[in-house]
Amino acid sequence: MLRLGRREFDAHEPVIMAIVNRTPDSFYDRGATFRDEPALARVEQAVAEGAAIIDIGGVKAGPGEEVTAQEEARRTVGFVAEVRKRFPEVVISVDTWRHDVGEAVCEAGADLLNDAWGGVDPKLAEVAARYGAGLVCTHAGGAEPRTRPHRVRYDDVLADILRVTVGLAERAVGLGVPRESVLIDPGHDFGKNTRHSLEATRRLGEMVETGWPVLVSLSNKDFVGETLDKPVKERVIGTLATTAVSAWLGAQVYRVHEIAETKQVLDMVAAIAGHRPPAVARRGLA
């Protein structure tokens, strides 16, 4: 059982996490949801299309202009409070690595802290514990926030992913984060080249076997683009193919831009796996 905010999810229940960037320079939408009105419209659309989690980010992952903790909080805290007011049942996640931002968004109503940089600020887990919030424990290969990998090497990338993510998850539980609210994430592209991310996908079942719920953030990422030699706006098909493989191997939470398309993929895989009946079954019966 995965428990986040007011929601509980069964072990075989796929969960969609919709990306809402409060940044003017995100790699995918280029600031489309930086202002409040379009951002709130995006949340409404995402919930209507089947997202159970809204992941709010105030700093883009890649290099760029410096964003202080104060500016990150300005972009996210008030928005979290407004989403909490308008959508009381939705799970609110905030993509941050900073404990002071984590504290402020938890005060505003966030249910989950999505630490994409692998525990670089160890106090973030303490904040999650103090507020009873969930925590995403991600492998970033020891990279500093907002840096790109350069000639990174692993003897065994999946072994390193397991060592780091399981270690972070166990530490979080030891600090008091509810075990049923901790997830692990292989961190596609973070501290990895394309071959590393492909191997992490191919061996995702090894992460699932740990018993921790697995979150994957695949949407339109560089490893998809390099694999298919496609620019950012032409990576949806590759993303959905990777989503289907990840679902078959047992990942549970999917951080995405395209919600409706992802839901169809996850529903189809769940039906093939026997976890979900067909929506309609008339063929051969009429």
Side-chain angles (χ1 to χ4, degrees):
M1 179 70 70
L2 174 64
R3 183 176 291 113
L4 299 170
R6 301 182 183 184
R7 302 286 298 274
E8 292 184 349
F9 306 95
D10 293 334
H12 293 298
E13 183 177 356
V15 182
I16 295 176
M17 170 189 273
I19 300 166
V20 179
N21 289 313
R22 302 308 315 279
T23 61
D25 53 357
S26 57
F27 89 99
Y28 187 68
D29 61 33
R30 302 296 180 188
T33 52
F34 185 46
R35 295 186 299 108
D36 286 352
E37 283 188 18
L40 288 166
R42 162 72 173 167
V43 174
E44 185 172 9
Q45 178 188 12
V47 172
E49 291 182 352
I53 306 173
I54 302 298
D55 190 49
I56 299 163
V59 186
K60 78 169 186 175
E65 289 187 15
E66 180 186 2
V67 180
T68 64
Q70 291 75 18
E71 173 61 16
E72 183 184 358
R74 188 190 69 79
R75 295 176 179 182
T76 56
V77 174
F79 187 71
V80 167
E82 187 64 24
V83 173
R84 179 81 294 148
K85 182 172 73 174
R86 296 194 188 195
F87 304 91
E89 298 302 317
V90 79
V91 178
I92 299 177
S93 168
V94 175
D95 180 354
T96 186
W97 74 88
R98 292 164 163 153
H99 77 274
D100 42 357
V101 175
E103 183 132 21
V105 296
C106 284
E107 281 285 345
D111 305 300
L112 177 65
L113 297 175
N114 181 11
D115 179 9
W117 291 102
V120 68
D121 181 346
K123 292 183 180 179
L124 188 66
E126 297 173 15
V127 170
R130 190 156 60 251
Y131 284 88
L135 184 69
V136 179
C137 301
T138 307
H139 180 271
E144 288 295 314
R146 307 192 66 196
T147 61
R148 298 197 190 282
H150 180 68
R151 299 191 182 279
V152 62
R153 295 175 60 88
Y154 299 96
D155 291 333
D156 181 331
V157 66
L158 208 286
D160 203 71
I161 288 170
L162 291 174
R163 176 184 63 81
V164 171
T165 58
V166 171
L168 289 170
E170 290 175 346
R171 175 180 180 270
V173 172
L175 289 169
V177 180
R179 194 192 191 286
E180 63 273 17
S181 303
V182 176
L183 305 99
I184 60 175
D185 177 355
H188 289 81
D189 275 358
F190 281 62
K192 299 170 188 67
N193 62 32
T194 289
R195 287 185 173 85
H196 293 144
S197 292
L198 290 172
E199 182 172 352
T201 306
R202 187 164 56 247
R203 298 173 60 189
L204 200 66
E206 295 176 47
M207 292 192 75
V208 174
E209 288 170 3
T210 66
W212 298 97
V214 175
L215 179 151
V216 287
S217 183
L218 312 167
S219 197
N220 303 296
K221 282 194 167 179
D222 284 349
F223 83 96
V224 175
E226 287 194 355
T227 299
L228 302 176
D229 193 17
K230 295 293 184 183
V232 169
K233 292 297 183 179
E234 297 179 24
R235 299 175 183 176
V236 175
I237 294 173
T239 296
L240 295 176
T242 314
T243 298
V245 171
S246 300
W248 186 256
L249 292 174
Q252 186 167 14
V253 181
Y254 301 81
R255 183 179 181 271
V256 302
H257 298 99
E258 286 81 21
I259 296 127
E261 296 87 341
T262 300
K263 187 175 189 307
Q264 284 192 42
V265 169
L266 295 177
D267 285 351
M268 192 70 200
V269 173
I272 294 168
H275 303 315
R276 174 187 181 275
V280 178
R282 291 188 293 261
R283 183 172 176 80
L285 301 176

